[in-house]
Amino acid sequence: MVELSITPLDQYYYVSRESGDRFSTKPYIMHSALFYALGLLPTRFRVSEQTPEYTTHYKQSEAARGIYIHPATIVGGGRHMTRRFSVKGDTYRSEAQQENKNLLETGHQRTYEPDIQFRTFVTCDGGTDALAFAQQLPSYIRVGKKMTSARLETDVHDVTPKEGQFTLDQPVGKQDISTDEYDILGSVRMESMAPVDLLTQSDLSGQYVRVDAQFGPEKNDTGITLPTDVYFLGTDQ
């Protein structure tokens, strides 16, 4: 198991909630984005023509084989910043009209300030060595709508799978966890996201591991519990 700390060095922003002319950012980095940011999938998408084909790219990637990345969450809280944007260029308007797009020229973006810390965990399976995986990761990646540079730190944990009831402490994609492998016992909380909704809280029964997190200011005496049998968008390689 590899623990990741991701610290954006500038404002972190992507549209996760729209309300009129206000666009907010939820406190997550989706695992679909992290697979690309960490260089595990063969194509990085940055413009509209480079549409992500998540399952296709995942199946094509040797680097992603046996890897599951949990969606990252903010640890220790984060400060927001609201800024007004204004798009005035004639080129923007003409292209929007040609493509029949209803694009706002002004609005408000609610972003996270620099130096917030995200944390997530990577499960290595299928013969993938966790230490070797951590060592080949870059020191900096780019995340968010503006491809913000972020510092990446890693810590490797030796974990032993257990069987029984546990509480989900790190989000998983709704499609990533199989009801054949896990019983959902209650306390379910979902978060609407793209490309897949997140299961952010639940009491589960099945195989899991417990990790003593090294990143983040809060102390968790009982550790972080995570399911072991999870597959990106339900893709079992």
Side-chain angles (χ1 to χ4, degrees):
M1 178 75 67
V2 181
E3 182 181 358
L4 302 182
S5 169
I6 303 166
T7 307
L9 304 180
D10 202 344
Q11 296 178 33
Y12 174 67
Y13 166 75
Y14 69 97
V15 177
S16 56
R17 180 182 299 161
E18 299 182 26
S19 179
D21 66 346
R22 295 183 179 274
F23 304 89
S24 297
T25 301
K26 293 182 181 178
Y28 306 102
I29 303 177
M30 288 296 289
H31 56 350
S32 52
L34 289 174
F35 269 102
Y36 287 98
L38 295 174
L40 300 179
L41 297 192
T43 303
R44 296 190 179 194
F45 57 96
R46 296 182 180 175
V47 295
S48 59
E49 291 78 11
Q50 293 176 302
T51 303
E53 299 178 7
Y54 303 110
T55 55
T56 299
H57 293 165
Y58 185 82
K59 291 177 180 179
Q60 291 174 347
S61 174
E62 288 293 328
R65 189 171 299 276
I67 299 298
Y68 180 79
I69 306 173
H70 286 264
T73 58
I74 289 178
V75 291
R79 297 185 303 276
H80 285 96
M81 175 185 299
T82 301
R83 59 180 291 269
R84 183 177 179 85
F85 67 87
S86 178
V87 179
K88 298 297 185 182
D90 292 334
T91 301
Y92 174 89
R93 283 196 289 268
S94 62
E95 289 180 353
Q97 291 170 355
Q98 291 173 9
E99 298 179 21
N100 195 27
K101 291 183 179 180
N102 183 21
L103 299 177
L104 289 176
E105 294 188 9
T106 62
H108 295 84
Q109 295 175 342
R110 191 168 187 251
T111 69
Y112 281 101
E113 292 187 359
D115 293 325
I116 59 171
Q117 185 180 32
F118 290 87
R119 182 181 66 200
T120 191
F121 299 88
V122 180
T123 300
C124 301
D125 200 0
T128 302
D129 180 75
L131 179 59
F133 173 80
Q135 290 176 339
Q136 58 88 33
L137 292 177
S139 298
Y140 291 87
I141 60 175
R142 292 191 175 274
V143 295
K145 181 72 172 178
K146 300 297 184 181
M147 301 300 288
T148 298
S149 179
R151 183 172 61 252
L152 182 68
E153 298 172 272
T154 65
D155 193 76
V156 178
H157 300 269
D158 290 325
V159 294
T160 302
K162 301 178 181 179
E163 190 80 25
Q165 296 183 11
F166 65 99
T167 298
L168 179 68
D169 287 326
Q170 190 77 18
V172 296
K174 180 181 177 182
Q175 300 176 12
D176 303 345
I177 188 164
S178 171
T179 54
D180 293 333
E181 301 289 342
Y182 291 92
D183 294 324
I184 298 178
L185 305 178
S187 301
V188 174
R189 181 176 296 174
M190 302 290 297
E191 188 75 70
S192 178
M193 298 290 289
V196 62
D197 291 345
L198 297 183
L199 178 64
T200 60
Q201 177 180 305
S202 182
D203 294 330
L204 301 169
S205 178
Q207 192 175 84
Y208 69 97
V209 292
R210 190 180 304 278
V211 181
D212 293 325
Q214 297 301 305
F215 297 118
E218 77 280 5
K219 299 297 182 182
N220 189 331
D221 295 333
T222 61
I224 304 294
T225 48
L226 308 164
T228 57
D229 297 324
V230 279
Y231 305 96
F232 180 55
L233 299 182
T235 304
D236 184 356
Q237 290 193 343

